[in-house]
Amino acid sequence: MNLKSLAKDTAIYGLSSIVGKFLNYLLSILYLQIIPAESGGYGIVTNLYAWTALLLAFLTFGMETTFFRFSGKEGENPENVFSTSLKMVGAVALVFLAAVFCFLKPISAAMGYALHPEYIGCFAIITAFDAFQAVMFARLRQQKRAVKFVTLKLSFIVASILLNLFVFLVLPGMFDKFPVLGREFVRCDYGVGFIFFINLICTVCVTFGFIPELKSLEFRFDRALCRRMLKYTWPILLLSVVGILNQVADKILLPKLMPGQEGMVQLGIYGGCVKVAMIMSMLVQAFRYAYEPIVFGEAGKRDNDRTLAEGMKWFVIFSLLAFLAVMFYLPILKHLIGRGYWSGLGVVPVVMMAELFMGIYFNLSFWYKLTDQTWWGAIINAIAVTVMIGINVLFVPKYGYWACAWGGFAGYGLAMLISYFIGQRKYPIRYDLRTIFTFAVIAAAYWFIYNEAGRLIRSEWLLMGFGTLLLLSYGYLVLRMIKHKL
């Protein structure tokens, strides 16, 4: 495995993922400062973006992974694979849009947005464009065109930030001269609806960045290839759907299990505190963007098993570093969200560990992808999401968002364990469990020591100083291991 190549690609893709999400995080801070927790407005944002993630899994139906798999297969024309993938996703997206707009009012009422069907229509368009762009971005990753990938991703973020700053900081000053703007602002849940329409504008604009690729698109549709790809991808569709459900079902279910204003308030607090834990998800996404093309590109090579083992080890080590950093600096990070949301900060470590389990599960999942047994992924995820939904249904009415956090923890933890034990029988990989467990124990010990120190050290600044020493100690151990490997 070329660790330098992996590190370089992770850094480049991390620019769009980590920097992009950080800038989005700053937008979330803006929302969480302006939208009162008791209004439930941020709950609406969290709920509708959860629905979008789920629908996107249906509209892409695993075509990103399928595209990578077939592009790297001997005897397959990568251009033909790209063209066929894009046309299949595009056709499904068009059918989806037609269905939503034909039944917009009943769908909006069923989702709890009878007063705002425009929200649902807006998100339908966003989801359709996102599905189409998913294949386009996968093509850029497959061609290792990281610069254009990052440019388009950051263009979306920058445009979104500028428009949001205008709407929430500049526009309110114009309400006296233009009362109609003020009335519309209030009607759209004090700007919540404006967030969605800004997303729509930016999403559509990004599509223009793919005009060169679309111009070179082949018009011929390979039906034989389509059948082969669909045969491979349908289990990935199930995998994606239940995988996304593991991430968003709690945000979809909470308002239903705790109806009324209280449900949206709880969801808003939970969604706001999850933002604090987003560092782990950013690391997982950046690693995935760089890691997936490398693994599929080296499929069949003798050192591919070593690639998987090394990737797992380094992912866990640096994810634990991110976990400790967030925990040790939480006294500062909590000020990035409104005080009304602080009551939910206790779920942050639980959510971060769930994200770590998800990342480990992603690394483990290559055994069924590389052996074309993707149906195993669907089964494993289905079991996990059943556990997660069960925990939500049983405990959300009593414990609110705490049940959501522990449901995700249990779901991802179970998926991780099942995938490991079955994978070791189907596609044995010699993971460096000794090193992984050593660093896991070290991280757990440091967190325990930090929490115990918190009982004695009353000053938050002194406590964070102590946490910094622990982080430096952890970093020193990592550097020693890297130096030993080199």
Side-chain angles (χ1 to χ4, degrees):
M1 177 184 184
N2 189 340
L3 288 176
K4 290 184 178 179
S5 175
L6 177 59
K8 178 183 176 183
D9 287 350
T10 301
I12 294 175
Y13 289 118
L15 179 63
S16 64
S17 177
I18 297 176
V19 175
K21 283 199 171 186
F22 178 72
L23 293 175
N24 260 332
Y25 181 70
L26 295 180
L27 278 181
S28 299
I29 294 171
L30 178 66
Y31 303 151
L32 292 169
Q33 296 292 339
I34 293 177
I35 303 171
E38 62 274 11
S39 71
Y42 197 72
I44 296 174
V45 175
T46 304
N47 180 250
L48 286 179
Y49 276 110
W51 274 109
T52 301
L54 179 60
L55 290 171
L56 188 60
F58 281 104
L59 296 188
T60 54
F61 51 96
M63 197 50 60
E64 289 177 273
T65 299
T66 302
F67 166 73
F68 282 123
R69 178 60 173 158
F70 277 77
S71 294
K73 271 190 172 184
E74 290 187 13
E76 298 289 359
N77 182 349
E79 294 294 333
N80 195 25
V81 172
F82 167 62
S83 175
T84 303
S85 302
L86 191 63
K87 289 170 185 174
M88 284 194 287
V89 172
V92 171
L94 286 175
V95 172
F96 166 75
L97 278 178
V100 169
F101 280 96
C102 283
F103 303 99
L104 183 59
K105 289 187 177 181
I107 290 174
S108 302
M111 293 177 64
Y113 297 98
L115 298 178
H116 292 285
E118 69 274 15
Y119 292 179
I120 306 305
C122 178
F123 269 99
I125 300 173
I126 290 172
T127 308
F129 271 91
D130 280 345
F132 186 78
Q133 289 177 14
V135 180
M136 304 296 296
F137 279 115
R139 173 66 164 171
L140 294 180
R141 289 162 58 198
Q142 185 259 339
Q143 293 179 326
K144 299 190 182 300
R145 298 171 62 188
V147 174
K148 181 164 185 175
F149 182 100
V150 170
T151 300
L152 290 176
K153 288 287 187 180
L154 291 183
S155 296
F156 173 89
I157 297 297
V158 171
S160 178
I161 288 175
L162 292 176
L163 288 173
N164 272 280
L165 290 177
F166 174 79
V167 166
F168 288 99
L169 298 182
V170 178
L171 194 62
M174 304 169 61
F175 290 166
D176 290 338
K177 292 184 178 180
F178 305 97
V180 65
L181 292 177
R183 290 194 296 270
E184 191 63 21
F185 191 84
V186 173
R187 192 188 73 83
C188 290
D189 297 297
Y190 295 91
V192 168
F194 285 28
I195 298 172
F196 308 149
F197 291 107
I198 288 172
N199 192 334
L200 173 61
I201 294 169
C202 296
T203 299
V204 172
C205 288
V206 167
T207 306
F208 291 108
F210 290 110
I211 289 178
E213 286 76 15
L214 294 174
K215 284 183 177 179
S216 62
L217 189 67
E218 296 181 1
F219 289 97
R220 186 174 64 89
F221 184 76
D222 192 330
R223 294 184 179 180
L225 175 61
C226 174
R227 287 192 292 269
R228 293 197 302 273
M229 294 178 76
L230 288 175
K231 183 179 179 180
Y232 178 87
T233 202
W234 75 262
I236 300 179
L237 166 61
L238 297 177
L239 172 90
S240 299
V241 170
V242 292
I244 290 296
L245 277 173
N246 267 325
Q247 298 178 49
V248 304
D250 51 354
K251 301 171 186 66
I252 293 174
L253 289 173
L254 198 153
K256 300 293 183 183
L257 297 171
M258 190 177 284
Q261 183 70 9
E262 179 60 21
M264 279 300 178
V265 170
Q266 288 254 333
L267 181 56
I269 293 173
Y270 178 59
C273 291
V274 165
K275 291 295 181 181
V276 179
M278 67 178 286
I279 291 176
M280 193 71 76
S281 63
M282 290 190 294
L283 183 61
V284 171
Q285 187 176 20
F287 192 85
R288 176 186 174 185
Y289 280 152
Y291 194 46
E292 197 169 45
I294 290 175
V295 172
F296 282 115
E298 295 184 0
K301 295 183 180 180
R302 282 185 292 181
D303 65 344
N304 199 40
D305 290 357
R306 183 169 176 269
T307 297
L308 294 169
E310 287 289 294
M312 172 70 80
K313 178 179 68 178
W314 291 109
F315 170 78
V316 173
I317 288 172
F318 284 104
S319 293
L320 290 172
L321 177 63
F323 172 82
L324 292 176
V326 172
M327 293 298 99
F328 294 167
Y329 295 120
L330 194 58
I332 288 180
L333 295 176
K334 70 180 182 181
H335 290 282
L336 297 176
I337 62 176
R339 288 181 178 270
Y341 298 88
W342 286 9
S343 59
L345 287 173
V347 304
V348 171
V350 181
V351 173
M352 288 195 73
M353 290 309 298
E355 291 284 349
L356 173 60
F357 292 161
M358 181 184 72
I360 294 174
Y361 173 57
F362 167 76
N363 282 275
L364 293 170
S365 69
F366 282 105
W367 70 262
Y368 57 74
K369 293 177 181 177
L370 291 172
T371 58
D372 293 346
Q373 300 182 61
T374 47
W375 50 273
W376 269 112
I379 293 174
I380 294 170
N381 269 349
I383 295 172
V385 78
T386 300
V387 170
M388 187 271 289
I389 290 176
I391 291 174
N392 275 260
V393 171
L394 290 174
F395 298 110
V396 160
K398 183 176 181 180
Y399 297 104
Y401 53 74
W402 275 99
C404 297
W406 283 109
F409 180 94
Y412 284 128
L414 184 61
M416 174 185 68
L417 293 174
I418 294 175
S419 184
Y420 173 76
F421 288 111
I422 296 179
Q424 289 302 96
R425 293 181 59 188
K426 300 289 185 179
Y427 193 94
I429 301 293
R430 295 187 63 181
Y431 294 109
D432 190 354
L433 296 181
R434 180 178 178 180
T435 300
I436 290 172
F437 280 118
T438 297
F439 275 91
V441 170
I442 292 171
Y446 281 8
W447 189 31
F448 175 79
I449 293 170
Y450 177 84
N451 286 331
E452 289 302 308
R455 301 176 185 274
L456 303 174
I457 303 174
R458 296 302 178 185
S459 169
E460 289 186 343
W461 290 104
L462 288 177
L463 184 60
M464 286 188 290
F466 179 69
T468 300
L469 293 177
L470 293 177
L471 279 180
L472 291 174
S473 173
Y474 185 94
Y476 172 73
L477 295 175
V478 175
L479 289 175
R480 279 193 61 185
M481 189 177 68
I482 292 175
K483 184 177 180 180
H484 176 71
K485 291 293 182 181
L486 294 178

